[in-house]
Amino acid sequence: NEALPLRRAVGDRSGEAVTLNNIGMIYHALGEGRKALEKFNEALPLRRAVGDRSGEAITLNNIGLVYYALGETQKALEKFNEALPIKQAVGDRSGEATTLNNVGAVYYALGETRKALEKFNEALLLRRAVGDRNGEANTLLGIARVEQKRGNLTQARQVIEQAVSLVESLRMDIAGQELRASFFSNRQTFFESYIAVLMEQRRQNPAAGIDAVALAVIERGRARSLLELLTEARADIRQGIDSPLLERERSLRQRLAAKASAQTNLLNRKHTPEQAEAAAKELASITTEYEELRAQIRVSSPRYATLTQPQPLSLAEIQQQVLDPDTLLLEYSLGNDASYLFVVSQTSITSHQLPMRAEIEEATRRVRELLTAQQPQPGDTEAKYQARVKEARASYWPKAAELSWMLLGPAASQLGKKRLAIVADGALQYIPFAALPAPSPENSEGRKSGAEPQPLFVEHEIVSLPSASTLGTLRRETAGRKPAEKSIAVLADPVFTDDDTRVRRDVGKAGAKGKARSADSDETDIGFLQMTRSGRETGVISGEGGFGRLLSTRREAAAISAMVPERERMQALDFEASRTTALRPELGEYRIVHFATHGLLNNIHPELSGIVLSLVDKEGKPQDGFLWLQDIYNLTLSAELVTLSACQTGLGKEIKGEGLVGLTRGFMYAGAPRVVASLWKVDDRATSELMKRFYQGMLGPERLRPAGALRQAQLSIWKQKQWREPYYWAAFVLQGEWK
């Protein structure tokens, strides 16, 4: 829009057409089809006027794309057929293949499968001739869909396998992990189509062993970047890299952390939209530069070149390397037309068809809304808050029961009382299965009578996995590792603001707002209560630039630390709960690392998620207190468990195929085979009590494994009337190793 009047002012009609076409493409990407058409139709006569036949064909093709997206298939076909002879005349073989593929897609949508196959095959020959492997994969996908629609399942399976193999090959050509994950995310439809073909074959021949093949395909499409990162983490790929590259990486990492902190501080105080936009642009620029440099290091690394890329596990390997007699794997695959649940034990595999993705995701969204209704929202009045909570309490269990029967009902007879290792997909990653009613006849009867059903976790220990193959890799990479010598390191109750009474006391000031108080006292003043309440209402931010102190984390830290001898623990409170402490090598000496503070979640740039530690020093001077995801990746831990007793630490940006990319992945990369994290903004007091009971289970006389200790703690909280609602106990999930 800045370029357009300049093009017009200098009389550059060809450039004007290019810019109009580009604006149209952006509107199309934003889903604003009518605005896109308007711009393309402005560009078209200009391209004809200047004799730009190649550009004319491109714009005609783009107009066809918009009509296709709008569901106006006949108009789309007309425009594609206008573009095709022009592309042939100017010798644009790659563009000709693209338009032929588009024509094939229109014929497929119209149900004219013979014509669709004809055009796809023409496109395939051209794409192979010009070496367009990405385009070839897309055309193969189209052919596979046509063959499936015509009932030629064997042919469809062969073709879609070729397409998936091409996608995997293309993926490996991308050096940057983030770009690789993004590319793979946009190719998940290949895996969904492959599974759809396989499951249709299974319906025709149930005894053909198709379930095992389909499970392997799902694993091929899941958490591949995480698998590679876990392998890379132990390889020290920086060994043998030129020192200037490593120094530049260190410098960029420092700049990225500084800019991320500056942006967070800016957004936490009054600012203009222009300031926010400028900060975001600068941060995005440094992030891109940093990721490009990391990709360059991988390409240059002698050790990275020798790494064998980890392959997803087969059914037999999952049964031998991952599962035990007491554990069932529940792996979900959501699809546009149908979804599937695969139930795997050490000796068997079964599959169950579920409703389509849209139906499951809508039910899941509603359940999550009801689960988290007790979170105060900005602008809540007491009446509005109470009305929302009342409605949620009345609606939660019926809606959760519907979702439970949708997701677990088909496999209800197989569950027994086994541990459930769940590989969720899409929106299912945002809900705790522990808080769903067990899919039992007793609960079904109770639902009819209005009785509260029994949650799934009462009879099942539940863990989450990014993929079954991920756990296999975690076990391989930590096998034989020498256990850490000390028990537990706790970082809790940091100092976030310069008006915190701990700052005033340390510099000898009582402060004008109220008397100084001891750091471990529950006594407080009205100003502090207001700040804490404001922090809860807005999430984590209090006032105009601070994070509300979480008083209960201090009691939480004291209770946990008291369970082990002093020589086996580190307790970093107040100013010691700092980024500096978290980055010390000594953190690698502890079997358990526990953070009790705020978490920051960045859904747009997951690498800018982090943990909030002390933001001021003893004199009240600002300091960098954010432990960013990139910092976590650079930790070296021997921890068997990392607990993130903070808000929404289990979440992140959802990248299809990779699950939720967030803090959990960072700590697994750093060396922790299991992470306990939360799925929503948790209640301060209930969390403190839950954590105390969780650690009593692990460190007390019973010496429970973390997964069992978490279940026992949640059970004991659930049995208390004031914390009966799942909001108080269900947020925390264990991801990774259960043994």
Side-chain angles (χ1 to χ4, degrees), residues 195 199 202 210-215 218 329-333 340-344 349-352 354:
I195 291 162
M199 298 314 288
R202 183 193 179 280
I210 299 293
D211 284 343
V213 181
L215 180 69
I218 295 173
L329 173 69
L330 305 184
E331 186 142 356
Y332 288 87
S333 174
Y340 299 95
L341 164 62
F342 293 82
V343 182
V344 187
I349 179 172
T350 58
S351 64
H352 306 276
L354 306 178

Side-chain angles (χ1 to χ4, degrees), residues 361-612:
E361 293 199 333
E362 173 57 27
T364 302
R365 182 194 62 78
R366 181 59 178 147
V367 166
R368 181 174 167 85
E369 285 178 352
L370 295 169
L371 267 172
T372 58
Q374 286 170 264
Q375 285 180 193
Q377 302 296 327
D380 267 356
T381 62
E382 186 66 22
K384 185 177 178 181
Y385 174 77
Q386 292 299 338
R388 186 176 67 246
V389 171
K390 182 179 179 181
E391 194 273 335
R393 286 176 174 167
S395 303
Y396 174 73
W397 286 115
K399 291 296 182 185
E402 290 175 15
L403 182 61
S404 177
W405 279 99
M406 190 182 292
L407 299 177
L408 298 166
S413 63
Q414 298 173 259
L415 302 183
K417 294 187 178 182
K418 292 192 174 185
R419 177 187 299 110
L420 305 179
I422 296 173
V423 180
D425 189 17
L428 299 182
Q429 298 168 97
Y430 291 87
I431 59 162
F433 276 69
L436 296 180
S440 63
E442 294 80 8
N443 272 348
S444 182
E445 289 301 316
R447 189 167 79 251
K448 293 174 186 175
S449 67
E452 180 184 312
Q454 178 171 285
L456 190 64
F457 81 111
V458 173
E459 292 191 343
H460 300 276
E461 187 179 292
I462 299 170
V463 298
S464 296
L465 299 174
S467 70
S469 302
T470 300
L471 182 55
T473 302
L474 280 169
R475 285 179 177 170
R476 185 173 65 251
E477 297 302 325
T478 57
R481 186 172 72 181
K482 184 181 177 183
E485 294 181 359
K486 299 177 183 177
S487 291
I488 186 166
V490 180
L491 288 82
D493 196 17
V495 184
F496 301 123
T497 58
D498 60 4
D499 62 353
D500 188 296
T501 53
R502 289 170 288 182
V503 173
R504 292 198 296 271
R505 184 195 62 189
D506 284 343
V507 296
K509 298 178 182 178
K513 294 183 180 178
K515 65 180 181 179
R517 59 189 173 89
S518 67
D520 58 353
S521 170
D522 286 342
E523 182 182 347
T524 188
D525 57 33
I526 292 173
F528 189 81
L529 279 172
Q530 289 174 334
M531 184 180 78
T532 304
R533 182 182 176 191
S534 174
R536 285 177 178 159
E537 288 177 346
T538 59
V540 293
I541 308 301
S542 70
E544 290 180 0
F547 294 87
R549 184 180 179 187
L550 301 171
L551 279 171
S552 296
T553 63
R554 192 175 201 89
R555 292 191 294 272
E556 179 181 321
I560 293 169
S561 298
M563 296 178 196
V564 297
E566 187 173 351
R567 65 180 180 279
E568 292 189 19
R569 71 187 189 222
M570 178 188 82
Q571 184 174 255
L573 304 174
D574 307 320
F575 304 101
E576 283 299 307
S578 66
R579 182 173 185 269
T580 301
T581 300
L583 293 177
R584 285 177 187 149
E586 289 81 4
L587 205 65
E589 298 174 3
Y590 295 88
R591 293 192 293 277
I592 299 172
V593 178
H594 182 97
F595 293 92
T597 181
H598 289 297
L600 275 180
L601 174 66
N602 191 319
N603 280 320
I604 299 170
H605 297 290
E607 68 276 8
L608 300 179
S609 298
I611 295 170
V612 189

